[in-house]
Amino acid sequence: MAAVGAAPATPGLMGLGELQLRLPATKTQWLALVAGAAFGLVGAELAWHHPLSGPLALAAWGAVVLLAALFWVKTPVLLLAPLPLVGLAPWTGWISFEEMDLLVMACGCGGYLAYALQLNARDRAPAWRHGLVYSPVVVVLLVALALSAAWSIKRGFADAGGFVFGWFHGYHEAMNSVRNAKAIFLALAMLPLWTAAATARPRGFSRGLLLGLVLALAGGSAAALWERLAYTGLLDFSTDYRTTALFWEMHVGGAALDGFLVLTLPFALLALLRTRSPWRFAVGLVVALLAAYACLTTFSRGVYLALPLALIPMVMLADAQRRRAAASEPDSSRIDSTLGAVDAPLSRLGKIGALAMAGAFALAAALVFGGGGYRGLLALFFVMVILLTMPASLWLPAFGQRLTAVIMGGLLALVLGGASWALSLAVPKAAYVLNVVALLCCAALRWRDEPGQVRPIYVLLVSTCWFWLLSTMVIVADYWGGTSGRWTAGAAGLALAALWAAMLLEGRLWPLQGAGSTGKAGWRKRALLVAGLMLVMAIVAALGGGGYLRDRVATWKEDGQTRLTHWREGLRLLHGGRQWLLGKGAGRFVPSNFYDGPVSSQIGDYRLRHDPTESYLALAAGKHLLGHGEQFRVSQRIPAPAPGPVAITLVHRTAADANLVMQICEKNLIYPDNCQSTEPALKPLRAEAPAEAASAVDAAASTPATGMGGWQTSQFKLGPVPALGGDWWAPRFVTFSMSLDTRGARVDIARIAMQDAQGRQLIANGDFNREMARWFFSSDRNHLPWHIKNAALHVLFEQGLVGLALLGGAYLLALMRLSFGRGRDHPLAPAIVAALIGFGTVGAFDSLLDAPRIGFIFFTLLLLGLGLRALPGEGVARVA
């Protein structure tokens, strides 16, 4: 039966229907026309000023506008899917504005114009089909949230000394207030369009949101996989290297990738749990495994804590939806017409069996890996894969016949195992060959299954072969790890043997029993369990095979105390009741910490200054203890130089002796590798210097600032630089950076040029006449001064108790609506709840909202969670 509210298929190009333009007919459409024009003007202006190429950016922006107009109901896909890949700040130097802003402007322009001009017009949906509805109380709450954020921007401007527009402002200047607070306004700007989309095509809009977030997760996880492959290796869990993917917001630390993963992973898992299409399931499984690897390599204790806290409620809410579906009329509707029939819930004993199987494998994996290494773990994995493919016909014989099969199979396996062990001692590497032979025998027996036939001998053969495979796993661990491998793997084997015996004798414990575990549904469940096994293996390998994660887990208490001290020092920066009530202003934590905090918070900085005829960079070092990773760096992504020496020409001045560090490194964001550096000691040029020394400086740049020496031109050699850039299949970015290794020092740089051994110019905008275009900055290791390290305290600092109460109220209201209220039966409700819980958990240890892309995803889900509702019959599903 067709899903309630589903619209019939529409003719025309790609199902869009009749493409035509009409003049706005209602006040709402006229407002949409004005909104679309406003989005267009702002977006075109931003695109034209793009630091890399204005014309190319404008052309790409126009193409997205066209797509958004044609597919305005699916704008979440266009907007969210590319989000983790379009942060180009390390190449552009933009941080106040970025490519996300261009995407929002393009989707808003195309979407609002399409709605206003009735492009691909559809009949107005009845009120009961509106998928996104806001009560008056929620509307008032949204207005209050917007006003609080706007007021924080105003206070931020005032704290910065007044509003001054700039394309390349840093963390101390006025535009940082815009950068920190813009996420909620961008989400609110898209909300009316999405409300109209959810009215016209409620399920199409929901599927677009789901697809956009899953594609975003796939892109972000693929970027994380590339980073590990290029810079550390996939299985290196010991190097002090935390994945950042393409989230430039982590250039001064933070948890942008962590927040992104916990916000998007629940949607991929929910889609994976519900889809019945084999190819969609396969793609979803790959995305989920990629995301699991990305989560693992963040080495973030917040992510490790957030995932179970978020995913357990998601599974419970999804199970509650299934139970409500099973208790209703079987043909009335579906949770989502594209996801197929919903499985009947597991019985209580089946759930106990599933938990026992998961726990037994996790324990066995830890034991086997400790003594048998990766080879023992791989052998254990195939033991569990064979276990998960056990045919349903094994439970057809009587209890006594199954008991006999278990006892006799165990005895026969002991004989085979003893012979195999003796052969492994006599013949080198025979342990691996015997393991493969036992695996092939199990696979052959599985292939010879005859469903529905009662065959006690077949049960005996299957049990014998599986017990033998289990014994060869112990032999592999013994061969690789010696005595320790033998005893740990033996204990694991006994536990798994007992588990299988119990499940074979008591069939209700087997979680893959029933009609839903045969055919496609059965293989789907087994594939999910195999993916779970792979995830457990990865966790065990990371914990057991890498010292870095163990060290991070072991130091949680010390790090927690550091966080508490940092929070107390951050709150001391709020002075007076007014700042506690209304906040100090958006984006003002870093400068407040710099001027009012301890010396360790007086970090390095840069400013773009101007002489009468040109611009120059004023680079300052921090006053804290400077180590290699604590230096403040200004950098630029450059082409890989030709192997050989690199020549650097620098026009500079300084007031006192300063050590300037110039490096060429392979570096994604904050972890340099394969560096070639030079560290000249710069000295000031005083007025009494010989005339010929001063003549080397351009007259236009010769007027010194107060206390600064005269301009000097210096030549430096760097290298010889080896071949950089990595392999073609895992390329590495090459970065040139400048920093100061003298506490409190300042160096002004008017021009810098760099040539490789072939005479190629490597630096763009070396005279800073395009402001800070192409230049970026980072702090590799010193991160605390840049973030208050708690999302709630971040909101408190910027918007005061008023803003914190408003946002906290909206957060709790969204959770309540989607868990127990009118939105609980919406198909995406479990995933949104899990995303919000995960965000709150990670946000307990990091700011998150000071990363605009992460803030935009959060506010999008929050605002939608306050209005999404299930259509009539939405929670009812046909039971498989």
Side-chain angles (χ1 to χ4, degrees), residues 422-690:
L423 186 60
S424 70
L425 295 177
V427 180
K429 298 188 182 301
Y432 305 125
V433 176
L434 290 168
N435 180 254
V436 172
V437 170
L439 180 63
L440 293 175
C441 289
C442 289
L445 283 172
R446 178 64 180 85
W447 181 63
R448 297 294 297 174
D449 175 49
E450 295 180 7
Q453 299 296 317
V454 179
R455 297 191 298 167
I457 300 300
Y458 180 71
V459 180
L460 172 63
L461 292 175
V462 169
S463 297
T464 302
C465 266
W466 188 79
F467 284 136
W468 180 34
L469 179 64
L470 195 61
S471 67
T472 61
M473 179 272 294
V474 178
I475 294 170
V476 168
D478 172 60
Y479 183 80
W480 176 255
T483 303
S484 62
R486 178 191 314 155
W487 293 113
T488 55
L494 288 175
L496 290 175
L499 177 69
W500 166 242
M503 287 185 170
L504 184 59
L505 296 176
E506 176 50 77
R508 290 176 297 175
L509 287 172
W510 182 240
L512 296 173
Q513 285 281 21
S517 297
T518 60
K520 291 182 179 179
W523 286 112
R524 177 181 159 276
K525 286 182 178 179
R526 287 171 171 81
L528 282 173
L529 291 172
V530 170
L533 298 182
M534 295 174 66
L535 179 60
V536 172
M537 286 175 57
I539 294 173
V540 169
L543 285 169
Y548 182 48
L549 180 56
R550 290 198 302 270
D551 292 343
R552 285 190 57 77
V553 173
T555 59
W556 68 270
K557 186 178 295 185
E558 294 82 355
D559 289 348
Q561 187 59 48
T562 301
R563 281 284 202 282
L564 290 173
T565 302
H566 181 65
W567 294 339
R568 285 194 295 266
E569 292 175 347
L571 292 178
R572 289 195 190 105
L573 301 176
L574 293 175
H575 305 301
R578 186 177 178 85
Q579 289 189 359
W580 275 93
L581 187 64
L582 300 175
K584 200 159 188 175
R588 301 314 298 167
F589 175 75
V590 174
S592 298
N593 204 24
F594 182 87
Y595 291 109
D596 294 341
V599 174
S600 60
S601 296
Q602 296 185 22
I603 49 181
D605 191 26
Y606 73 93
R607 288 288 190 279
L608 188 67
R609 303 297 188 190
H610 303 279
D611 271 345
T613 58
E614 66 178 351
S615 304
Y616 62 90
L617 173 69
L619 179 62
K623 295 182 180 179
H624 54 86
L625 182 63
L626 295 178
H628 178 73
E630 287 75 24
Q631 296 169 6
F632 178 84
R633 288 176 167 81
V634 173
S635 60
Q636 183 174 138
R637 293 266 171 90
I638 62 173
V646 171
I648 299 175
T649 302
L650 189 71
V651 178
H652 60 92
R653 69 182 180 189
T654 181
D657 293 356
N659 291 329
L660 177 67
V661 180
M662 293 181 287
Q663 289 182 318
I664 294 178
C665 302
E666 291 179 328
K667 178 180 179 181
N668 179 31
L669 196 62
I670 57 175
Y671 297 105
D673 192 20
N674 291 340
C675 293
Q676 296 294 317
S677 63
T678 180
E679 301 183 17
L682 306 183
K683 297 182 178 297
L685 179 65
R686 298 303 180 189
E688 62 270 21

Side-chain angles (χ1 to χ4, degrees), residues 130-143:
H130 293 187
L132 193 57
V133 178
Y134 293 94
S135 68
V137 173
V138 172
V139 171
V140 171
L141 180 59
L142 295 182
V143 171

